[in-house]
Amino acid sequence: MKSIAIMGASGHCKVVAEIALENGYDNIVFVDLNPTIDMLGEYPVADEDTDLENFINEKYDFIVGIGDAKIRRKVQEKLLSKGANVVTLIHPAAAIAYDVSIGTGTVIMAGAVVNPGTKIGDGCIINTCASVDHDNTIGDYVHISVGSHTAGTVAMGDNCWLGIGAVVSNNLSICADCTIGAGAVVVKNIIKPGTYIGVPARKID
Ligand SMILES: CC(C)(COP(=O)(O)OP(=O)(O)OC[C@H]1O[C@@H](n2cnc3c(N)ncnc32)[C@H](O)[C@@H]1OP(=O)(O)O)[C@@H](O)C(=O)NCCC(=O)NCCS
């Protein structure tokens, strides 16, 4: 039996579970803090406070299915500090170039494309049908949302969130802790953390 515990119990976790299934896991459990449900789809939801240590002792693999970057980082770091085996999950229908490096705890969804020369950090989400082109440097706990795209030689700092359908033009840097709104188009370097929306993207806070 191949067992995995998915931290969280949201809709995003169901997509992560699908990728786990595609990777041969046949025993899947969600683990949430103070869960309000017993089952999510076909799989049980366990209580982090009472059950986490058991799953670690029973040598489950782990992945964090939480969208918020800061919470995702906190939970992944907690797991690693307890000696849990945090894995990287890639859907078989993602196209990842031969020399791409991918950090611990990163999840790559179906239809995503990651092109040569790109480095992706720890705890990232490269979501459904997103593309990350050649020679990108993507920091830790970055979320490239569904259908968003980065062109060649883009750098994104830790904890950034590129919203659904957003685009980053080539040779640009985005500093850590930026949210790029749905549908935004980034055409200049971003050097201040904050939220950016629109075409071209502009800072709103
Ligand atoms: C950018 C974002 C984070 C801002 O959220 P927020 O801080 O709660 O902002 P609000 O919803 O209060 O919107 C503030 C203003 O910006 C506008 N706005 C918000 N997001 C926008 C966007 N993506 N593009 C254009 N305008 C946007 C709102 O219409 C509102 O305008 P108003 O003041 O004239 O009414 C959010 O709107 C967004 O785009 N999130 C991405 C969601 C996503 O990609 N989910 C997919 C996960 S896979």
Side-chain angles (χ1 to χ4, degrees), residues 87-133:
V87 296
T88 296
L89 281 185
I90 301 172
H91 195 286
I96 314 294
Y98 59 94
D99 64 346
V100 168
S101 71
I102 302 170
T104 303
T106 285
V107 180
I108 303 188
M109 276 40 182
V113 177
V114 184
N115 273 336
T118 285
K119 295 185 173 62
I120 295 176
D122 294 338
C124 293
I125 303 166
I126 311 297
N127 220 317
T128 310
C129 293
S131 69
V132 181
D133 217 295

Side-chain angles (χ1 to χ4, degrees), residues 12 127-128 143-147 161-166 179-184 195-199 202 204-205:
H12 173 65
N127 220 317
T128 310
H143 180 181
I144 312 276
S145 293
V146 173
W161 178 22
L162 187 61
I164 188 164
T179 296
I180 311 298
T195 301
Y196 294 77
I197 60 167
V199 182
R202 66 183 196 286
I204 53 165
D205 84 36

Side-chain angles (χ1 to χ4, degrees), residues 95 100 108 111-121 124-139 142-157 160-175 178-181 183-190:
V100 168
I108 303 188
V113 177
V114 184
N115 273 336
T118 285
K119 295 185 173 62
I120 295 176
C124 293
I125 303 166
I126 311 297
N127 220 317
T128 310
C129 293
S131 69
V132 181
D133 217 295
H134 65 87
D135 301 306
N136 278 216
T137 305
I138 305 296
V142 170
H143 180 181
I144 312 276
S145 293
V146 173
S148 59
H149 305 289
T150 66
T153 327
V154 163
M156 289 183 80
C160 283
W161 178 22
L162 187 61
I164 188 164
V167 170
V168 184
S169 194
N170 54 307
N171 305 319
L172 295 179
S173 296
I174 298 176
C175 68
C178 289
T179 296
I180 311 298
V185 177
V186 178
V187 295
K188 289 183 183 162
N189 290 330
I190 292 181

Side-chain angles (χ1 to χ4, degrees), residues 56-76:
I56 294 172
N57 293 337
E58 290 167 21
K59 306 285 183 211
Y60 277 56
D61 287 342
F62 282 84
I63 192 83
V64 183
I66 296 169
D68 182 282
K70 291 199 167 115
I71 301 174
R72 195 159 71 254
R73 175 189 289 272
K74 193 170 151 200
V75 173
Q76 179 157 320

